[in-house]
Amino acid sequence: MFMFPAFSQLQRQEDIKVNTGGKEIFDIAVVSDTRLLVIVYGIKKVILVNSQTGGTVAQITLKGHPHSVCMFNNIMAVVTLRLCLQLINIHGDIIQLGRSFSVSGNVSGVARSEDKIVVSYVAPPGLQVLSMDGTVMHTFNTRAVGGYVFKCPLFITTSTDGMVFVSDRAKATVTQLDSNLHVTRTYSDPILQNPQGIISVSADQVLVCSPGNHRILLLCPSTGAITSILGQQDGIKWPRALTYSPSQKKLYVVVEYLGIIQVFHQQ
């Protein structure tokens, strides 16, 4: 089983500088060993970027401002807009708009769960599992005994065993749910500060951006342990989002405010 290395085994490589027009990057997804999809705040576009040079390969205009992106398979991505999901078709260096469908709130995070899509909402806070035609399969009721489970669930990820992990910036928690959106555990720790981007790299390893203390954290669901694998000593500062490429053994980290992507290689 793949085990993610300690931060001492991650070697920083040259940053990817994307031409964002001075705006900040919100999210990224790995398309191939040489291509990334990039979401830029305040720009109604998805940008296909050369991950070696940072140059723009292709871009396409959307009907709204995108927030998050995930790859559904190697030729299609899903992008969240304010009140809808947009499918993006990718054929080599060509990207095209696919189908889109409306959703029930202000959608934020997105992840794939087998042949379905999982999304998080920030207004009102909650989660849904959707089929590829937009049919709602499961909905998480935001009300829980004694209050709300979520306040600001910006980012989500899914693991290979079907678990859903949600980072909540406002509550400083990571919540784990099963594929039917039943809460199985909530993780909290003082080291979790303003958690945002989150990615599952194995069934028992989840990486979380913690911009409040400039760290990338490793959550091990089997033990509940949360430890730091990268920090300011490694050049991490205000991490917003991240993704991992198993074939390249590379971790990509979006730096909030700066419009750059940091790259760390697994030794």
Side-chain angles (χ1 to χ4, degrees):
M1 183 180 72
F2 166 72
M3 293 296 291
F4 203 81
F7 70 85
S8 61
Q9 297 173 278
L10 289 171
Q11 181 178 357
R12 186 174 177 182
Q13 299 190 320
E14 186 176 353
D15 295 344
I16 301 173
K17 298 179 180 178
V18 181
N19 182 9
T20 64
K23 297 182 180 296
E24 54 188 300
I25 298 171
F26 242 58
D27 202 9
I28 52 175
V30 175
V31 178
S32 69
D33 286 353
T34 60
R35 298 290 185 262
L36 295 171
L37 277 181
V38 175
I39 300 294
V40 180
Y41 180 73
I43 297 179
K44 294 181 180 181
K45 292 181 180 180
V46 173
I47 305 173
L48 186 65
V49 169
N50 185 311
S51 59
Q52 298 172 334
T53 67
T56 296
V57 176
Q59 56 186 335
I60 194 163
T61 301
L62 306 173
K63 59 184 178 182
H65 293 286
H67 184 276
S68 293
V69 59
C70 77
M71 294 300 297
F72 192 82
N73 52 41
N74 60 352
I75 59 171
M76 186 172 65
V78 185
V79 177
T80 61
L81 306 181
R82 185 174 180 272
L83 293 171
C84 77
L85 298 183
Q86 175 68 61
L87 305 185
I88 304 291
N89 298 318
I90 306 166
H91 303 283
D93 290 344
I94 299 173
I95 52 178
Q96 299 172 321
L97 293 179
R99 293 182 294 110
S100 66
F101 46 86
S102 299
V103 290
S104 59
N106 189 351
V107 65
S108 179
V110 61
R112 174 190 175 184
S113 179
E114 297 182 337
D115 60 345
K116 296 178 284 294
I117 302 169
V118 187
V119 296
S120 66
Y121 296 98
V122 293
L127 303 173
Q128 280 186 333
V129 176
L130 307 168
S131 69
M132 288 303 295
D133 64 2
T135 301
V136 176
M137 312 294 290
H138 303 286
T139 297
F140 178 78
N141 187 345
T142 58
R143 290 191 180 275
V145 176
Y148 289 90
V149 173
F150 301 117
K151 286 186 178 179
C152 190
L154 287 180
F155 291 92
I156 61 174
T157 189
T158 53
S159 62
T160 54
D161 58 356
M163 291 291 128
V164 179
F165 294 87
V166 184
S167 64
D168 194 305
R169 182 181 67 181
K171 296 196 72 171
T173 58
V174 172
T175 297
Q176 177 182 322
L177 308 93
D178 64 21
S179 58
N180 295 322
L181 300 185
H182 299 131
V183 173
T184 58
R185 189 169 180 179
T186 295
Y187 306 89
S188 62
D189 190 288
I191 201 173
L192 270 174
Q193 297 185 19
N194 191 31
Q196 296 197 47
I198 186 168
I199 187 77
S200 172
V201 294
S202 77
D204 195 37
Q205 294 177 307
V206 179
L207 301 182
V208 187
C209 289
S210 181
N213 53 9
H214 310 290
R215 296 175 185 267
I216 303 298
L217 305 177
L218 171 63
L219 164 64
C220 295
S222 63
T223 64
I226 302 176
T227 56
S228 175
I229 63 165
L230 291 169
Q232 291 190 72
Q233 71 276 12
D234 307 292
I236 295 293
K237 190 173 184 180
W238 304 113
R240 175 192 291 279
L242 75 174
T243 192
Y244 182 74
S245 170
S247 62
Q248 296 176 287
K249 296 184 178 180
K250 286 183 179 181
L251 175 66
Y252 297 92
V253 180
V254 171
V255 180
E256 196 169 1
Y257 308 123
L258 299 183
I260 65 170
I261 301 169
Q262 294 178 329
V263 185
F264 296 87
H265 185 259
Q266 175 191 354
Q267 298 301 295

